[in-house]
Structure formats: C-alpha cells, structure tokens
Amino acid sequence: MKLGILIIRAFLGLTFVIHGWSKISSFSEAMGMVESIGLPTYFTYLLIFIEIFGGILLILGIFTNYISIIHVIILISAVLTVKSNASYIGGYEVDIILIVMYIAVISSYKWNKIIQFN
C-alpha cells in the first residue's frame, strides 16, 4: 500500500513538472490560454511556478497534502474552464483520473507531517 501511494505521488509530481515545463517552452500559448479564461496574463507565471515547484515538492514528499490540494484546484479549474466544452473521452478524462489519484494520496498521508517519506 505505501509503495503504491509513493509511486502515485511521484508520478503526479512528475506529471505537473512536465506540464509546467511545457508551459515555459510554449509560453505565448500558455499566456493565451490563461487570458482566454478571463484571468490576467501574470497568472501564467504563478501557474508555472505552482506546477513545477509543487511537482518537485510532491516528488520529494514535502507538504504533500497541501500541494495535492492546490493541484486538485488547478485540475478542477481546468475542467470547468479550458475543457468545459470538451467531451469526457479525449477531453477531461485524464484530469479526472489525476484528481482521483490525488484524493488517494491525500487520504493516505497525515496532515501533521511536513515530510512524507513513503
């Protein structure tokens, strides 16, 4: 059980690092996406920071539950805004799967521990 959650946590962290990095490599597209949902473009910097730094913290097991909650908020926001017109298959199915994985991580770790090793 603990090894399984550790693998899921590491995968989630890596997924967000990759997504944050992809926003850097296609920065103008990322800014356009943020602007298209009605947010100021400086939110792009915040989103990139949260995705990359939060993903690294998640991989290391630092502030696991707090980072997980923040990432779930990002995922739910993406489903409700950017992907609101998409269908489940090929649209927001991966987001829902990631949210369920985060719920598993959140329910498996103690809130009073800053660093989670397993």
Side-chain angles (χ1 to χ4, degrees):
M1 173 71 174
K2 290 182 179 183
L3 178 61
I5 292 296
L6 174 64
I7 292 168
I8 290 171
R9 188 189 81 207
F11 172 78
L12 289 168
L14 181 61
T15 299
F16 264 79
V17 169
I18 291 169
H19 276 266
W21 192 257
S22 73
K23 284 178 181 62
I24 291 173
S25 62
S26 59
F27 190 72
S28 61
E29 290 177 26
M31 286 184 77
M33 182 265 307
V34 168
E35 196 172 39
S36 74
I37 60 174
L39 293 173
T41 54
Y42 67 83
F43 268 83
T44 309
Y45 297 101
L46 181 62
L47 186 60
I48 291 170
F49 176 79
I50 290 171
E51 288 184 354
I52 293 175
F53 188 65
I56 291 168
L57 289 177
L58 201 62
I59 291 167
L60 296 175
I62 301 171
F63 299 116
T64 301
N65 286 344
Y66 301 104
I67 297 299
S68 296
I69 291 290
I70 293 168
H71 284 177
V72 166
I73 291 168
I74 291 171
L75 288 165
I76 290 171
S77 300
V79 169
L80 296 176
T81 57
V82 177
K83 300 179 181 184
S84 63
N85 293 326
S87 63
Y88 179 75
I89 303 295
Y92 55 87
E93 68 181 316
V94 173
D95 299 84
I96 300 299
I97 292 167
L98 292 173
I99 290 169
V100 170
M101 291 169 71
Y102 271 115
I103 291 169
V105 168
I106 292 166
S107 63
S108 297
Y109 288 116
K110 296 179 180 177
W111 284 91
N112 61 349
K113 292 181 82 177
I114 293 174
I115 300 175
Q116 312 280 345
F117 290 108
N118 52 17

